[in-house]
Amino acid sequence: MGVMSRYVGEVFVVRREGVLVAEPTGVVARRDADAPPQTWFATIDDETAALSLVGNGSVAAEIELVQPVPDSGSIGQVVRFLQAAPISVPAEAVVADRRDDAMDRLELVPEEWQPYEVRAGELDAHGWEAFVGRLFPVPVEEIDAVLGAGWEQLVRIAPWLVPLQTDGGDHPET
């Protein structure tokens, strides 16, 4: 086993093959009943599971990660659940005539960013979105270099896990 570090992330508590696990939310408020398993998940022991708010809404979890993080599967253990997770920033719609531009940007997302979800689709009758869920934060400068200027008007990018801050410092966020 490698060195452990602690991160915080918004999760859905899901039963997979009879075991409770914490999976990334993809910054949506509710989990689809037929959502497929995610690339990465954190295991939940029985004692911690008793404290969870099992349902299809999101909760915040402190996760002890094993390093190095594997290419897929379990990334560590849920240590505790925190207050109800804030629902992430609502999606901003991309106007219909920019869909192709957004899709072109999504094709540039490198595997090194450890994306767990890359999706695009209609939000409602008036909007469309492109989203990249990453395992960890990537510096904005790197995103600019890969996706080009103006990416933030076309693609929403969010990390699942951010380092646990115990000193009141800023959380890295893009």
Side-chain angles (χ1 to χ4, degrees), residues 20-154:
L20 283 180
V21 297
E23 294 184 341
T25 64
V27 296
V28 295
R30 308 296 293 171
R31 183 182 160 274
D32 288 333
D34 60 350
Q38 294 289 331
T39 304
W40 289 280
F41 60 87
T43 58
I44 304 171
D45 65 27
D46 291 339
E47 185 177 315
T48 306
L51 304 174
S52 74
L53 305 171
V54 178
N56 61 346
S58 64
V59 296
E62 181 179 331
I63 300 170
E64 190 170 63
L65 268 61
V66 64
Q67 297 291 337
V69 173
D71 292 335
S72 64
S74 177
I75 59 170
Q77 179 86 24
V78 172
V79 175
R80 66 184 170 128
F81 291 99
L82 307 168
Q83 296 176 357
I87 299 310
S88 298
V89 181
E92 291 187 26
V94 174
V95 294
D97 64 350
R98 302 286 319 265
R99 286 184 199 182
D100 289 343
D101 294 336
M103 293 301 288
D104 289 346
R105 303 289 171 104
L106 290 180
E107 290 180 18
L108 298 174
V109 173
E111 284 301 314
E112 296 81 50
W113 286 2
Q114 295 177 300
Y116 66 84
E117 184 171 12
V118 178
R119 69 173 184 252
E122 281 189 334
L123 288 173
D124 55 37
H126 305 290
W128 190 84
E129 84 158 336
F131 171 75
V132 177
R134 299 182 324 253
L135 192 55
F136 299 108
V138 171
V140 174
E141 300 79 24
E142 183 177 337
I143 299 171
D144 287 346
V146 172
L147 299 186
W151 65 265
E152 59 278 299
Q153 296 165 6
L154 300 169

Side-chain angles (χ1 to χ4, degrees), residues 11 77 173:
V11 303
Q77 179 86 24
E173 197 79 42

